[in-house]
């Protein structure tokens, strides 16, 4: 499971690569476990308050053309969205098809403001992962914060 908190807006589209993925498994988050937005930004707008929009493959318009069809608001600071997978996310080593060894990717709604690469818009969030150790399908096991990165100046 993956939980995102802290940002006001985030398009949480999570892609995972598993060692052995059969045809029935999706490389993307397959279910919304919990959606707890904070009061605030666009909470009443159905274009942004449907957590199911975070499921499936990402959609992007590039740095110049926004595509908000997968954006889910977390409201004001402190909202969260927890997504689940239909298979475990495993620790990957670099391979020919996964040269960076990426285990998990979370897509956000960052973009260049007015198309200018020196004016970047991004809202930070906290990404956490958990394993369903007790097998109950709930987000009640230990959570681990994924250390973030930052944009260079």
């Amino acid at each position: 499971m993956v939980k995102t908190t802290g940002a006001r807006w985030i398009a949480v589209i999570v892609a995972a690569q598993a060692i052995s993925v059969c045809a029935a498994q999706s490389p993307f988050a397959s279910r919304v476990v919990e959606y707890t937005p904070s009061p605030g930004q666009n909470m009443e707008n159905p274009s942004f308050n449907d957590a199911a929009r975070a499921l499936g493959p990402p959609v992007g318009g590039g740095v110049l053309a926004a595509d908000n069809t997968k954006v889910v608001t977390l409201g004001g600071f402190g909202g969260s969205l927890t997504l689940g997978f239909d298979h475990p996310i495993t620790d990957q080593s670099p391979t020919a098809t996964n040269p960076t060894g990426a285990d998990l990717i979370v897509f956000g709604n960052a973009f260049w403001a007015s198309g200018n690469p020196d004016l970047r818009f991004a809202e930070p969030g906290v990404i956490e992962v958990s394993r369903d150790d007790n097998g109950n399908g709930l987000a009640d096991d230990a959570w681990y914060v994924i250390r973030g990165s930052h944009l260079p100046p």
Side-chain angles (χ1 to χ4, degrees):
M1 286 183 258
V2 175
K3 178 176 14 179
T4 304
T5 58
R8 292 184 303 165
W9 285 79
I10 193 155
V12 182
I13 312 303
V14 184
Q17 297 189 14
I19 290 175
S20 59
V21 177
C22 70
Q25 294 175 329
S26 171
F28 306 101
S30 58
R31 67 187 173 99
V32 174
V33 176
E34 183 178 353
Y35 178 48
T36 312
S38 303
Q41 189 175 20
N42 283 306
M43 282 311 310
E44 303 302 319
N45 187 336
S47 295
F48 298 109
N49 66 9
D50 179 5
R53 294 168 60 135
L55 303 176
V59 175
V63 295
L64 300 177
D67 184 333
N68 292 328
T69 58
K70 293 292 221 164
V71 174
V72 177
T73 185
L74 297 178
F77 187 80
S80 69
L81 173 61
T82 305
L83 303 174
F85 295 85
D86 60 5
H87 65 282
I89 299 168
T90 57
D91 187 11
Q92 298 286 297
S93 297
T95 65
T97 58
N98 184 4
T100 64
D103 306 321
L104 181 71
I105 302 169
V106 177
F107 294 87
N109 66 322
F111 58 88
W112 292 346
S114 302
N116 182 341
D118 293 327
L119 300 174
R120 295 173 286 219
F121 173 86
E123 294 179 305
V126 176
I127 309 299
E128 300 175 64
V129 296
S130 179
R131 182 175 51 217
D132 189 8
D133 286 327
N134 61 17
N136 67 358
L138 302 175
D140 59 356
D141 295 291
W143 285 91
Y144 303 92
V145 174
I146 302 299
R147 190 173 68 98
S149 61
H150 62 279
L151 293 172

